[in-house]
Amino acid sequence: MPEQSNTYVAVIDDDECGRRAMARLLRAAGIQAITYASAEEFLRDEKRPAFDCLVLDIQLAELSGIDLQQRLANGGGCPPTIFITANDDPGLRERAESLGCVAYLRKTASGQELLQMIHSVLSKTGGP
């Protein structure tokens, strides 16, 4: 197993199976993955670390992934964001891209593709 790094990625997804699978994938790659079932859970976590990247589901129960990203950006603290979605909608994709997401992936994308995107983000931000 790779040595654990000080790289933190938040996985925010209301699909428990998907959230667990992404966390396992990231941990196997030596990335500290912290999972949240909702945007609200993420916001309530007063002990969350400074994340190097967010993997954020667009369609969440109350506060959407796009709304969360916008709220974080307005507060001056939004890490690079990779959006994931089960329902690719051109309007949502356009909105996510206009807000500056670094990637927009369907949930059917391979784990390797997600890892490549995260490593690309980390290489630009000084992570491993």
Side-chain angles (χ1 to χ4, degrees):
M1 181 191 287
E3 183 179 318
Q4 292 293 309
S5 70
N6 290 326
T7 301
Y8 291 92
V9 173
V11 176
I12 307 164
D13 190 345
D14 55 1
D15 173 20
E16 185 178 355
C17 291
R19 192 170 62 242
R20 282 187 187 169
M22 280 187 273
R24 280 192 305 271
L25 174 73
L26 296 176
R27 289 179 185 130
I31 296 169
Q32 298 286 338
I34 300 175
T35 63
Y36 301 92
S38 69
E40 293 80 12
E41 183 182 346
F42 173 85
L43 292 171
R44 282 191 305 268
D45 183 3
E46 295 178 5
K47 295 181 181 180
R48 69 179 184 255
F51 286 107
D52 298 287
C53 181
L54 302 180
V55 177
L56 183 52
D57 188 5
I58 285 188
Q59 295 177 328
L60 298 168
E62 292 180 35
L63 188 66
S64 77
I66 288 178
D67 291 337
L68 174 60
Q69 184 200 27
Q70 196 160 24
R71 180 181 287 191
L72 293 172
N74 289 345
C78 187
T81 302
I82 297 171
F83 279 114
I84 56 171
T85 185
N87 304 306
D88 192 6
D89 175 272
L92 285 176
R93 177 185 288 263
E94 185 176 308
R95 184 165 176 223
E97 290 173 349
S98 74
L99 291 171
C101 72
V102 295
Y104 185 97
L105 301 173
R106 290 189 54 98
K107 286 188 176 184
T108 55
S110 71
Q112 190 61 34
E113 189 174 355
L114 177 62
L115 280 177
Q116 286 174 343
M117 296 308 302
I118 290 170
H119 286 300
S120 174
V121 166
L122 297 176
S123 70
K124 293 175 186 170
T125 60

